[in-house]
Amino acid sequence: GEAVPAAQKSSWASFLKSIGSVSGDLSSLTAPPFILSPISLTEFPAYWCERPELFAAIAEAQTDEDRSIAVLRWFISTLKGQYTSRNEKLGSEKKPLNPVLGELFYGYWPDIDGRGRTNLVVEQVSHHPPITAYYIDNTSKGLALQGHSAQKTSFSGGSIIVKQIGHAILTVDIPGGGKEEFLITLPRLRIDGLWYGSPYIELTESSYIQSSTGWLSAIEYKGKGYFGGKSHQYKAVLTPPGSNNAHRTFEGLWHTTSKDLKTGGIFHDVQGPKEEVTVALIDDMDDWESRKLWRYVAKGIREGDFETASREKSKIENEQRQRRKDELAAGITWPLKHFEHIESDPVYERLGRLFRANPSMEDAYVYKGNGPYDQPDAPTA
Ligand code: 0T9
């Protein structure tokens, strides 16, 4: 393939072979340098809020129907960032840094034009298998998103198939009191273009957004070769409480624009710029914060100095191994900092029942409310 440097062809070939044989978790496979990303998976939850004004707009909706539509618009508008931004920034999908247990990522989007400040707290709550928990809130708008993310991977027809494990719960304070909850499930991914060394993601099958009011958005994803042959197609059908009849339909390309089929108008448009999360200066960060923890590895990858990158990566991994050994010997386990694990999420169970979610139960990581932005002296602007 063209994207694979001549000197890395055989290592790419053996990497692809190992993908075929290792099923479940690819995160710890050693990949050739050209495909390494300097960004840790703990940074990925920031994709949920790179259009903070669309998140904030959920709070402005006045009816249950409009609130479900605002949530759908925000959700669809995150997909471009979640699934195509590495191609735009790094040239192709790349292998993210595999977070260590306890790794943290903190950030925020400032309050501009009355949209309120949005805060992000991320913690790697498991290393093997990798599980990332996150909490995003805009307290001035009464919005909070809590979720976790893991993956099960398999290899089929030359592509990697990624089943996303985990879900997110969005809680919205509604006008006049009370809370509305939304259960958000996640689509399946297919990673294509591997043979040529230029991987990219296509979304497949369906995902759902179930509101506690009963409104449900069922989102279907298709790629090239379906409904007219374009990449990144979706169609979302909104149904009212207790009904299977489509009430509203939205259709188009999730990485550009889509239409509201009722009005014929634009439903979402993500062709304009998005807003990256703001983080502290590295020197002001906690040692467990992702960009500080991985800084020499990331520098090596960015500058093409893979010897330094791999030496620094080994340092981190050896330190982790030693930590796990010490914990075992002392009969203790690593304590989570910002989240508490629960075996079954009651909101998932309650809302999942409404659309027969599969599985019918999932675990969750409940935010403890103790992030850096929840402290009394935290910046508010
Ligand atoms: C949650 C997202 C997730 C994480 C990534 C599969 C993947 C790790 C998980 C699902 C985010 O909200 C959305 C986007 C991209 C997903 C990643 C794409 C990817 O390739 C990796 C896996 C683990 C690999 O690194 C596979 C090997 C690599 C050489 C292919 C590029």
Side-chain angles (χ1 to χ4, degrees), residues 54-64 66-68 70-72 74 135-146 169-184 209-213 347 351:
L54 291 183
F55 189 56
I58 295 167
E60 311 306 331
Q62 295 302 312
T63 64
D64 295 352
D66 282 349
R67 212 169 295 112
S68 275
V71 171
L72 179 65
W74 157 74
Y135 185 80
I136 299 173
D137 67 359
N138 179 337
T139 51
S140 72
K141 300 285 176 186
L143 299 165
L145 180 76
Q146 176 181 278
I169 305 287
L170 171 68
T171 308
V172 183
D173 293 345
I174 46 181
K179 282 186 193 300
E180 179 172 348
E181 292 159 315
F182 295 83
L183 166 60
I184 301 170
I209 305 177
Q210 174 70 63
S211 165
S212 54
T213 62
V347 186
L351 299 184

Side-chain angles (χ1 to χ4, degrees), residues 96-119:
L97 296 169
N98 185 21
V100 305
L101 179 60
E103 187 172 325
L104 303 168
F105 187 75
Y106 301 134
Y108 67 93
W109 291 263
D111 179 6
I112 297 173
D113 297 333
R115 71 186 186 195
R117 179 182 155 115
T118 308
N119 292 323

